[in-house]
Coordinates of all heavy atoms in Angstrom, one line a residue:
A238 N 10.6 3.2 -2.5 CA 11.3 2.9 -1.2 C 10.5 1.7 -0.6 O 9.3 1.5 -0.8 CB 11.2 4.0 -0.3
D239 N 11.2 0.9 0.1 CA 10.6 -0.3 0.7 C 10.0 0.1 2.1 O 10.6 0.9 2.8 CB 11.7 -1.4 0.9 CG 12.1 -2.1 -0.4 OD1 11.4 -1.8 -1.4 OD2 13.0 -2.8 -0.4
V240 N 8.9 -0.5 2.4 CA 8.2 -0.3 3.7 C 7.8 -1.7 4.2 O 7.4 -2.6 3.5 CB 6.9 0.5 3.4 CG1 6.1 0.6 4.7 CG2 7.2 1.8 2.8
T241 N 8.1 -1.9 5.5 CA 7.7 -3.1 6.2 C 6.2 -3.0 6.7 O 5.9 -2.1 7.4 CB 8.6 -3.5 7.3 OG1 9.9 -3.6 6.8 CG2 8.2 -4.8 8.0
V242 N 5.4 -3.8 6.2 CA 3.9 -3.8 6.6 C 3.7 -4.9 7.6 O 4.1 -6.1 7.4 CB 3.0 -4.0 5.3 CG1 1.6 -4.1 5.7 CG2 3.3 -2.8 4.3
T243 N 3.1 -4.5 8.7 CA 2.9 -5.5 9.8 C 1.4 -5.7 10.0 O 0.6 -5.3 9.2 CB 3.5 -4.9 11.1 OG1 2.8 -3.7 11.5 CG2 5.0 -4.5 10.9
G244 N 1.1 -6.3 11.2 CA -0.3 -6.5 11.5 C -1.0 -5.3 12.1 O -2.2 -5.3 12.5
A245 N -0.3 -4.1 12.0 CA -0.9 -2.8 12.4 C -0.9 -2.0 11.2 O 0.0 -2.1 10.3 CB -0.1 -2.2 13.5
A246 N -1.9 -1.1 11.0 CA -1.9 -0.2 9.9 C -0.6 0.6 9.7 O -0.1 1.1 10.7 CB -3.1 0.8 10.0
T247 N 0.0 0.5 8.5 CA 1.3 1.1 8.3 C 1.1 2.1 7.1 O 0.5 1.7 6.1 CB 2.3 0.0 7.9 OG1 2.3 -0.9 8.9 CG2 3.7 0.6 7.6
V248 N 1.6 3.3 7.2 CA 1.5 4.3 6.1 C 2.5 3.9 5.0 O 3.7 3.8 5.3 CB 1.8 5.7 6.6 CG1 1.9 6.7 5.5 CG2 0.8 6.1 7.7
L249 N 2.0 3.6 3.8 CA 2.9 3.4 2.7 C 3.4 4.7 2.1 O 4.6 4.9 1.8 CB 2.2 2.6 1.6 CG 1.8 1.2 1.9 CD1 1.0 0.6 0.7 CD2 3.0 0.4 2.3
R250 N 2.5 5.7 2.0 CA 2.8 7.0 1.5 C 1.8 8.0 2.2 O 0.6 7.8 2.2 CB 2.7 7.2 0.0 CG 3.9 6.5 -0.7 CD 5.2 7.3 -0.5 NE 6.3 6.7 -1.2 CZ 7.0 5.7 -0.8 NH1 6.8 5.2 0.3 NH2 8.0 5.3 -1.5
A251 N 2.4 9.1 2.7 CA 1.5 10.1 3.3 C 0.8 10.9 2.2 O 1.1 10.8 1.0 CB 2.4 11.1 4.0
Q252 N -0.2 11.6 2.6 CA -1.0 12.5 1.6 C 0.0 13.3 0.8 O 1.0 13.9 1.3 CB -1.9 13.4 2.3 CG -2.7 14.3 1.4 CD -3.7 15.2 2.2 OE1 -4.1 14.9 3.3 NE2 -4.1 16.3 1.5
N253 N -0.3 13.4 -0.5 CA 0.6 14.2 -1.4 C -0.3 14.8 -2.5 O -0.7 14.0 -3.4 CB 1.7 13.3 -2.0 CG 2.7 14.1 -2.8 OD1 2.4 15.3 -3.2 ND2 3.8 13.5 -3.1
N254 N -0.6 16.0 -2.5 CA -1.4 16.7 -3.5 C -0.7 16.7 -4.8 O -1.4 17.0 -5.8 CB -1.8 18.1 -3.0 CG -2.8 18.0 -1.9 OD1 -3.6 17.0 -1.7 ND2 -2.8 19.0 -1.0
A255 N 0.6 16.5 -4.9 CA 1.3 16.5 -6.2 C 1.4 15.1 -6.8 O 1.9 15.0 -7.9 CB 2.7 17.1 -6.0
R256 N 0.8 14.1 -6.2 CA 0.9 12.7 -6.7 C 0.1 12.5 -7.9 O -1.1 12.9 -8.0 CB 0.4 11.8 -5.6 CG 0.4 10.3 -6.0 CD -0.1 9.3 -5.0 NE 0.6 9.4 -3.8 CZ 0.0 9.4 -2.5 NH1 -1.3 9.3 -2.4 NH2 0.8 9.5 -1.5
L257 N 0.8 12.0 -8.9 CA 0.1 11.5 -10.2 C -0.3 10.1 -10.1 O -1.3 9.7 -10.5 CB 1.0 11.8 -11.4 CG 1.3 13.3 -11.6 CD1 2.3 13.4 -12.8 CD2 0.0 14.1 -11.9
E258 N 0.7 9.3 -9.6 CA 0.4 7.8 -9.4 C 1.3 7.2 -8.4 O 2.5 7.6 -8.2 CB 0.7 7.1 -10.8 CG 0.4 5.6 -10.7 CD 0.5 4.9 -12.1 OE1 1.7 4.6 -12.4 OE2 -0.5 4.7 -12.7
L259 N 0.8 6.3 -7.6 CA 1.6 5.5 -6.7 C 1.4 4.1 -7.1 O 0.3 3.5 -7.3 CB 1.0 5.7 -5.3 CG 1.7 4.9 -4.2 CD1 3.1 5.3 -4.0 CD2 0.9 5.0 -2.9
S260 N 2.6 3.4 -7.2 CA 2.6 2.0 -7.6 C 3.4 1.2 -6.5 O 4.5 1.6 -6.2 CB 3.4 1.8 -8.9 OG 3.5 0.5 -9.2
C261 N 2.7 0.2 -5.9 CA 3.3 -0.6 -4.8 C 3.2 -2.0 -5.1 O 2.1 -2.5 -5.5 CB 2.6 -0.2 -3.5 SG 2.8 1.5 -2.9
T262 N 4.3 -2.8 -4.8 CA 4.3 -4.2 -5.0 C 4.5 -4.9 -3.7 O 5.4 -4.6 -2.9 CB 5.5 -4.6 -6.0 OG1 5.3 -3.9 -7.2 CG2 5.6 -6.1 -6.2
N263 N 3.6 -5.9 -3.5 CA 3.7 -6.8 -2.3 C 4.8 -7.8 -2.7 O 4.6 -8.7 -3.5 CB 2.4 -7.5 -2.1 CG 2.4 -8.5 -1.0 OD1 3.5 -8.8 -0.4 ND2 1.3 -9.1 -0.6
N264 N 6.0 -7.7 -2.0 CA 7.1 -8.6 -2.4 C 7.1 -10.0 -1.7 O 8.0 -10.8 -2.0 CB 8.4 -7.9 -2.0 CG 8.7 -6.6 -2.8 OD1 8.5 -6.6 -4.0 ND2 9.1 -5.6 -2.2
D265 N 6.1 -10.2 -0.9 CA 6.1 -11.5 -0.2 C 5.6 -12.6 -1.2 O 4.8 -12.4 -2.1 CB 5.1 -11.5 1.0 CG 5.4 -12.6 1.9 OD1 6.4 -12.5 2.8 OD2 4.8 -13.7 1.9
A266 N 6.0 -13.8 -1.0 CA 5.7 -15.0 -1.8 C 4.3 -15.6 -1.5 O 3.7 -16.3 -2.3 CB 6.8 -16.0 -1.8
T267 N 3.9 -15.4 -0.2 CA 2.7 -16.1 0.2 C 1.7 -15.2 1.0 O 0.5 -15.6 1.1 CB 3.1 -17.3 1.2 OG1 3.8 -16.7 2.3 CG2 3.9 -18.3 0.4
V268 N 2.1 -14.1 1.6 CA 1.2 -13.3 2.4 C 0.5 -12.2 1.7 O 1.2 -11.4 1.1 CB 1.9 -12.8 3.7 CG1 1.0 -12.0 4.6 CG2 2.5 -14.0 4.5
N269 N -0.8 -12.1 1.8 CA -1.5 -10.9 1.2 C -1.5 -9.7 2.1 O -1.3 -9.9 3.3 CB -3.0 -11.3 0.9 CG -3.1 -12.5 0.0 OD1 -2.3 -12.7 -0.9 ND2 -4.1 -13.3 0.2
I270 N -1.7 -8.6 1.5 CA -1.9 -7.4 2.3 C -3.2 -6.7 1.9 O -3.8 -7.1 0.9 CB -0.8 -6.3 2.1 CG1 -0.7 -5.9 0.7 CG2 0.6 -6.9 2.6 CD1 0.3 -4.7 0.5
R271 N -3.7 -5.8 2.7 CA -4.8 -4.9 2.4 C -4.4 -3.5 2.4 O -3.5 -3.1 3.2 CB -5.9 -5.1 3.5 CG -6.5 -6.5 3.7 CD -7.5 -6.7 2.6 NE -8.1 -8.1 2.8 CZ -9.4 -8.3 2.5 NH1 -10.2 -7.4 2.1 NH2 -9.8 -9.5 2.7
V272 N -4.9 -2.7 1.4 CA -4.6 -1.3 1.4 C -5.8 -0.5 1.4 O -6.9 -0.9 1.0 CB -3.7 -1.0 0.1 CG1 -2.4 -1.7 0.1 CG2 -4.5 -1.3 -1.2
G273 N -5.7 0.8 1.9 CA -6.8 1.7 2.0 C -6.4 2.9 2.7 O -5.3 3.3 2.8
G274 N -7.4 3.5 3.3 CA -7.2 4.7 4.2 C -7.0 4.3 5.6 O -6.5 3.2 5.9
S275 N -7.2 5.3 6.5 CA -6.9 5.1 7.9 C -7.8 4.0 8.5 O -7.4 3.5 9.6 CB -7.1 6.4 8.7 OG -8.5 6.8 8.5
N276 N -8.8 3.5 7.9 CA -9.7 2.5 8.5 C -9.3 1.1 7.9 O -10.1 0.1 8.1 CB -11.2 2.8 8.2 CG -11.5 2.8 6.7 OD1 -10.6 2.8 5.9 ND2 -12.8 2.8 6.4
V277 N -8.2 0.9 7.3 CA -7.8 -0.4 6.7 C -7.6 -1.4 7.9 O -7.0 -1.0 8.9 CB -6.6 -0.3 5.8 CG1 -5.3 0.0 6.6 CG2 -6.4 -1.5 5.0
T278 N -8.0 -2.6 7.7 CA -7.8 -3.7 8.7 C -7.4 -4.9 7.9 O -7.4 -4.9 6.6 CB -9.1 -4.0 9.5 OG1 -10.0 -4.6 8.6 CG2 -9.6 -2.8 10.1
A279 N -7.1 -6.0 8.6 CA -6.7 -7.3 7.9 C -7.9 -7.9 7.2 O -7.7 -8.8 6.4 CB -6.2 -8.2 8.9
T280 N -9.1 -7.4 7.3 CA -10.3 -7.8 6.6 C -11.0 -6.7 5.8 O -12.0 -7.0 5.2 CB -11.3 -8.5 7.5 OG1 -11.7 -7.6 8.5 CG2 -10.7 -9.8 8.2
R281 N -10.5 -5.5 5.9 CA -11.1 -4.4 5.2 C -10.1 -3.6 4.4 O -9.0 -3.3 4.9 CB -11.7 -3.4 6.2 CG -12.4 -2.2 5.5 CD -12.8 -1.1 6.5 NE -13.8 -1.7 7.4 CZ -13.9 -1.3 8.7 NH1 -13.1 -0.3 9.2 NH2 -14.8 -1.8 9.5
G282 N -10.4 -3.3 3.1 CA -9.5 -2.7 2.2 C -9.3 -3.5 1.0 O -9.7 -4.7 0.9
Q283 N -8.6 -3.0 0.0 CA -8.4 -3.7 -1.2 C -7.3 -4.7 -1.0 O -6.2 -4.4 -0.5 CB -7.9 -2.7 -2.3 CG -7.6 -3.4 -3.6 CD -7.1 -2.5 -4.7 OE1 -7.3 -1.3 -4.6 NE2 -6.4 -3.0 -5.7
R284 N -7.6 -6.0 -1.3 CA -6.6 -7.1 -1.1 C -5.6 -7.0 -2.2 O -5.9 -6.9 -3.4 CB -7.3 -8.4 -1.1 CG -6.3 -9.6 -0.9 CD -7.0 -10.9 -0.9 NE -7.2 -11.2 0.5 CZ -7.9 -12.2 0.9 NH1 -8.5 -13.0 0.0 NH2 -8.1 -12.5 2.2
V285 N -4.3 -7.1 -1.8 CA -3.2 -7.1 -2.8 C -2.5 -8.5 -2.6 O -1.9 -8.7 -1.5 CB -2.2 -6.0 -2.7 CG1 -1.1 -6.1 -3.7 CG2 -2.9 -4.6 -2.8
A286 N -2.7 -9.4 -3.5 CA -2.1 -10.7 -3.4 C -0.6 -10.7 -3.3 O 0.1 -9.8 -3.8 CB -2.6 -11.6 -4.5
A287 N 0.0 -11.8 -2.7 CA 1.4 -11.9 -2.7 C 2.0 -11.8 -4.1 O 1.4 -12.4 -5.0 CB 1.7 -13.3 -2.0
G288 N 3.0 -11.0 -4.3 CA 3.6 -10.8 -5.6 C 2.9 -9.9 -6.5 O 3.4 -9.6 -7.6
A289 N 1.8 -9.3 -6.1 CA 1.0 -8.5 -7.0 C 1.4 -7.0 -6.8 O 1.9 -6.6 -5.7 CB -0.5 -8.7 -6.8
T290 N 1.0 -6.2 -7.7 CA 1.2 -4.7 -7.7 C -0.1 -4.0 -7.8 O -1.0 -4.5 -8.5 CB 2.1 -4.3 -8.9 OG1 3.3 -4.9 -8.8 CG2 2.3 -2.8 -8.9
F291 N -0.3 -2.9 -7.0 CA -1.5 -2.1 -7.2 C -1.0 -0.7 -7.5 O 0.1 -0.3 -7.1 CB -2.3 -2.1 -5.9 CG -1.8 -1.3 -4.8 CD1 -2.3 0.0 -4.6 CD2 -0.9 -1.8 -3.9 CE1 -1.8 0.8 -3.6 CE2 -0.5 -1.0 -2.8 CZ -0.9 0.3 -2.7
K292 N -1.9 0.0 -8.2 CA -1.6 1.4 -8.6 C -2.8 2.3 -8.2 O -4.0 1.8 -8.2 CB -1.4 1.5 -10.1 CG -0.1 0.8 -10.5 CD 0.1 1.0 -12.0 CE 1.3 0.3 -12.5 NZ 1.6 0.5 -13.9
T293 N -2.5 3.5 -7.8 CA -3.6 4.5 -7.5 C -3.1 5.9 -7.8 O -1.9 6.1 -7.8 CB -4.0 4.4 -6.0 OG1 -5.1 5.3 -5.7 CG2 -2.8 4.8 -5.1
N294 N -4.1 6.7 -8.1 CA -3.8 8.1 -8.4 C -4.4 9.0 -7.2 O -4.5 10.2 -7.3 CB -4.3 8.6 -9.7 CG -5.8 8.4 -9.9 OD1 -6.5 8.0 -9.0 ND2 -6.3 8.7 -11.1
S295 N -4.8 8.3 -6.2 CA -5.4 9.0 -5.0 C -4.3 9.9 -4.4 O -3.1 9.5 -4.3 CB -5.9 8.0 -3.9 OG -6.2 8.7 -2.7
K296 N -4.6 11.0 -4.0 CA -3.7 12.0 -3.3 C -3.7 11.8 -1.8 O -2.9 12.4 -1.1 CB -4.0 13.4 -3.7 CG -3.8 13.6 -5.2 CD -4.1 15.0 -5.7 CE -4.0 15.2 -7.2 NZ -3.4 14.3 -8.0
A297 N -4.6 11.0 -1.3 CA -4.8 10.8 0.2 C -3.6 9.9 0.7 O -2.9 9.2 -0.1 CB -6.1 10.1 0.4
S298 N -3.5 9.8 2.0 CA -2.6 8.9 2.7 C -3.0 7.5 2.3 O -4.2 7.1 2.4 CB -2.6 9.1 4.2 OG -1.8 8.2 4.8
I299 N -2.0 6.6 2.0 CA -2.3 5.2 1.6 C -1.7 4.4 2.7 O -0.5 4.5 3.0 CB -1.7 4.9 0.2 CG1 -2.3 5.8 -0.8 CG2 -2.0 3.4 -0.1 CD1 -3.7 5.8 -1.1
Q300 N -2.5 3.5 3.3 CA -2.0 2.7 4.4 C -2.2 1.2 4.0 O -3.0 0.9 3.1 CB -2.8 3.0 5.7 CG -2.5 4.4 6.1 CD -3.0 4.7 7.5 OE1 -3.1 3.8 8.4 NE2 -3.4 5.9 7.8
A301 N -1.5 0.3 4.7 CA -1.6 -1.1 4.4 C -1.5 -1.9 5.7 O -0.9 -1.4 6.7 CB -0.5 -1.5 3.4
I302 N -2.0 -3.1 5.7 CA -1.9 -4.0 6.8 C -1.7 -5.4 6.3 O -2.2 -5.7 5.2 CB -3.1 -3.9 7.7 CG1 -2.9 -4.6 9.1 CG2 -4.3 -4.4 7.0 CD1 -3.9 -4.2 10.1
S303 N -0.9 -6.2 6.9 CA -0.6 -7.6 6.5 C -1.8 -8.5 7.0 O -2.3 -8.3 8.1 CB 0.7 -8.1 7.1 OG 0.9 -9.4 6.8
E304 N -2.1 -9.5 6.2 CA -3.1 -10.5 6.6 C -2.4 -11.6 7.4 O -3.0 -12.6 7.8 CB -3.8 -11.1 5.4 CG -4.7 -10.1 4.7 CD -5.5 -10.7 3.6 OE1 -5.3 -11.9 3.3 OE2 -6.4 -10.0 3.0
G305 N -1.1 -11.5 7.6 CA -0.3 -12.5 8.3 C 1.0 -12.0 8.8 O 1.0 -11.0 9.6
A306 N 2.1 -12.6 8.4 CA 3.4 -12.2 8.8 C 3.8 -10.8 8.2 O 3.1 -10.3 7.3 CB 4.5 -13.2 8.4
N307 N 4.9 -10.2 8.7 CA 5.4 -9.0 8.2 C 5.8 -9.1 6.7 O 6.3 -10.2 6.3 CB 6.6 -8.5 8.9 CG 6.3 -8.0 10.4 OD1 5.1 -8.0 10.8 ND2 7.3 -7.7 11.1
V308 N 5.5 -8.1 5.9 CA 5.7 -8.2 4.5 C 6.5 -6.9 4.0 O 6.2 -5.8 4.6 CB 4.3 -8.2 3.8 CG1 4.4 -8.0 2.3 CG2 3.5 -9.4 4.1
T309 N 7.4 -7.0 3.1 CA 8.0 -5.9 2.5 C 7.3 -5.5 1.2 O 7.0 -6.3 0.4 CB 9.5 -6.2 2.1 OG1 10.2 -6.6 3.3 CG2 10.2 -5.0 1.5
V310 N 6.9 -4.2 1.2 CA 6.2 -3.6 0.1 C 7.1 -2.5 -0.6 O 7.6 -1.7 0.2 CB 4.9 -3.0 0.5 CG1 4.2 -2.3 -0.7 CG2 4.0 -4.1 1.1
S311 N 7.3 -2.6 -1.9 CA 8.1 -1.6 -2.6 C 7.2 -0.6 -3.3 O 6.3 -1.0 -4.0 CB 9.0 -2.2 -3.6 OG 9.9 -3.1 -3.0
C312 N 7.4 0.7 -3.1 CA 6.5 1.7 -3.7 C 7.3 2.7 -4.5 O 8.4 3.1 -4.1 CB 5.8 2.5 -2.6 SG 4.6 1.4 -1.7
T313 N 6.7 3.2 -5.6 CA 7.3 4.2 -6.4 C 6.2 5.3 -6.6 O 5.1 4.9 -7.0 CB 7.7 3.7 -7.8 OG1 8.7 2.7 -7.5 CG2 8.4 4.8 -8.6
E314 N 6.5 6.5 -6.3 CA 5.5 7.6 -6.5 C 5.9 8.5 -7.6 O 7.1 9.0 -7.6 CB 5.4 8.3 -5.1 CG 4.4 9.4 -5.1 CD 4.2 10.0 -3.7 OE1 5.2 10.4 -3.1 OE2 3.1 10.0 -3.2
E315 N 5.0 8.8 -8.5 CA 5.2 9.8 -9.5 C 4.5 11.1 -9.2 O 3.3 11.0 -8.8 CB 4.7 9.3 -10.9 CG 5.0 10.2 -12.0 CD 4.4 9.7 -13.3 OE1 4.1 8.5 -13.4 OE2 4.3 10.5 -14.3
T316 N 5.2 12.2 -9.2 CA 4.6 13.4 -8.8 C 4.7 14.4 -10.0 O 5.5 14.2 -10.9 CB 5.2 14.0 -7.6 OG1 6.6 14.2 -7.8 CG2 5.0 13.1 -6.3
Q317 N 3.9 15.5 -9.9 CA 4.0 16.5 -10.9 C 5.0 17.6 -10.6 O 5.4 17.8 -9.5 CB 2.6 17.1 -11.1 CG 1.8 17.5 -9.9 CD 0.4 18.0 -10.3 OE1 0.2 18.6 -11.4 NE2 -0.5 17.8 -9.4

């Protein structure tokens, strides 16, 4: 599902103990995002470049924040 990521921390996917893998793509052509937990900021967290995809097997809530303008992020979650 697509999620709009803004300049405020946005939940990409809530905690899910059945998660095997979460794959999210930053669909913007120029704006990077940061991903992480509840402490993610525009300067803290894993940077995901414009057009790039990140994957995680963390079962925790995954949040993101834009380093600039609003960005659409597409996520697919595989569960058991």
